[in-house]
Amino acid sequence: MQIGQRLDRFLSEALPDVSRTRIQALIREGHVRMAGAPSGGATIEDVKYRVKQGDCFELIVPPAAEPELKPEAIPLDVVYEDEDVIVIDKAAGLVVHPGAGQPDGTLVNALLAHCGKSLSGIGGVARPGIVHRLDKDTSGLMVAAKNDRAHRALAEQFADHGRTGEMARGYLALVWGAPSRPHGRIEAPIGRHPTSRTRMAVVPKDKGRFAATEWRLVESYGGTGKDAVASLIECTLETGRTHQVRVHLAHYGHPLVGDPLYGAGFKSKLKTLPEDLAGAIAALDRQALHAAHLAFVHPGTGTLLEFNSDLPDDLAEIVRQFKQL
């Protein structure tokens, strides 16, 4: 014990399976008291209380509350699962977390039903720990934590974005046109669009947050370089900004096929394509983006886990037709 240390920090270090945020909430709710004389039984509700020599604390952790969210039997493509984590291949159209415009029918509702009692009380409520997200209309690999310890460990890895560890996320993006180089890096700050609240944009440094995307050209269709109609690009994220891949590639001049927010100006391209291909793209009803690679260190075993996902049928069919140009 470090004398003079804040109570919340002291308890967090003593109880690594409970998040510091959760411990702070328990202190404020009166679940921490002094044990032993002379002040035994006294409740401490100040998270900034400074620990003194001889202090002994009793922390009463109430059972996790019943989830406010309802479990829903939504089919999931489970790639991997154990007592700590679950990896799923998310379908396009599935919202990750409930919000004002989507109170149910989400991945969280599906995980509550799938995992049942195996979930612990993250934040005091029994729910899966979402440590990263995909846009509703982006398909691909996601991992969720099933207990507080796993949640904390995964959250640290994703906050670092693989800069100092082995965590990695890779995307396959089908875009209009093709870059003139085989690989490169887009480094441009991202912030809220100045006139549209639903969009993000590349903005001046003082208006946004640092964002970096590494990319590699996989193949091009209908030509090469500036003559290409479209191309498949592999992207690796160094940061995790909202709509990062979509914004960066659009800024680079190659918006995603089917992207209604950042590629709307390329709808005229459909008129130049064969009827079947144009119809397939028009029917896509989402951006052509797939989270194809995910790697992270398992929070319990310390083993590096790596997963790969092929393009889903809707994108694979469009790629097949592009190859025939």
Side-chain angles (χ1 to χ4, degrees):
M1 178 178 71
Q2 182 177 343
I3 304 304
Q5 190 175 34
R6 281 175 47 140
L7 177 60
D8 60 338
R9 183 179 293 276
F10 167 71
L11 292 177
S12 179
E13 293 177 356
L15 302 167
D17 288 347
V18 184
S19 71
R20 188 173 175 185
T21 299
R22 177 68 171 134
I23 284 175
Q24 290 174 337
L26 291 172
I27 294 172
R28 294 189 180 103
E29 292 167 5
H31 295 292
V32 178
R33 64 186 182 186
M34 297 289 289
S39 54
T43 299
I44 302 177
E45 299 181 0
D46 181 9
V47 298
K48 297 181 181 179
Y49 173 86
R50 298 293 175 175
V51 176
K52 301 178 180 62
Q53 182 71 40
D55 279 351
C56 184
F57 303 98
E58 183 179 74
L59 171 62
I60 301 172
V61 180
E66 288 299 314
E68 300 171 2
L69 305 170
K70 294 181 179 180
E72 295 182 52
I74 300 170
L76 292 175
D77 184 357
V78 178
V79 176
Y80 174 86
E81 183 176 10
D82 61 26
E83 63 183 6
D84 292 316
V85 301
I86 179 170
V87 178
I88 63 107
D89 199 337
K90 188 185 86 68
L94 181 62
V95 174
V96 171
H97 202 284
Q102 184 80 42
D104 50 29
T106 70
L107 174 61
V108 167
N109 298 105
L111 288 172
L112 286 170
H114 176 86
C115 298
K117 296 183 180 298
S118 67
L119 298 177
S120 69
I122 297 171
V125 178
R127 64 174 55 177
I130 302 297
V131 295
H132 69 123
R133 301 190 185 192
L134 295 177
D135 294 342
K136 171 187 174 183
D137 292 323
T138 297
S139 55
L141 297 166
M142 284 190 63
V143 59
K146 294 172 66 175
N147 55 60
D148 282 359
R149 175 175 57 81
H151 192 181
R152 294 179 67 184
L154 288 175
E156 289 178 2
Q157 292 184 57
F158 277 83
D160 184 65
H161 296 289
R163 287 187 289 267
T164 62
E166 296 180 282
M167 193 283 292
R169 287 180 293 165
Y171 292 78
L172 287 175
L174 183 60
V175 304
W176 291 114
S180 57
R181 296 180 293 149
H183 57 82
R185 172 185 170 90
I186 303 171
E187 186 175 309
I190 292 176
R192 187 67 61 181
H193 192 281
T195 60
S196 174
R197 294 296 300 171
T198 62
R199 299 177 62 189
M200 306 300 288
V202 169
V203 297
K205 288 183 179 180
D206 61 339
K207 301 291 185 181
R209 302 176 67 187
F210 172 81
T213 304
E214 300 278 349
W215 62 266
R216 180 181 69 85
L217 177 64
V218 178
E219 55 189 13
S220 56
Y221 313 113
T224 58
K226 63 181 181 180
D227 296 324
V229 175
S231 58
L232 187 65
I233 293 179
E234 182 181 69
C235 295
T236 303
L237 301 186
E238 187 178 310
T239 53
R241 310 303 175 214
T242 301
H243 296 179
Q244 179 172 320
V245 173
R246 299 165 66 186
V247 172
H248 269 178
L249 291 180
H251 177 71
Y252 192 49
H254 302 291
L256 271 67
V257 170
D259 194 330
L261 282 181
Y262 306 105
F266 281 69
K267 284 186 176 180
S268 59
K269 286 270 191 181
L270 297 181
K271 298 177 181 179
T272 68
L273 300 177
E275 183 177 348
D276 287 349
L277 177 53
I281 294 173
L284 184 60
D285 197 30
R286 69 156 174 133
Q287 65 269 4
L289 184 63
H290 181 65
H293 178 71
L294 176 65
F296 59 89
V297 176
H298 190 281
T301 66
T303 302
L304 178 66
L305 300 181
E306 294 190 75
F307 305 94
N308 294 287
S309 171
D310 294 333
L311 284 175
D313 291 345
D314 57 352
L315 300 186
E317 173 58 22
I318 292 174
V319 167
R320 185 189 69 79
Q321 294 194 43
F322 266 128
K323 288 182 176 180
Q324 296 177 350
L325 294 179

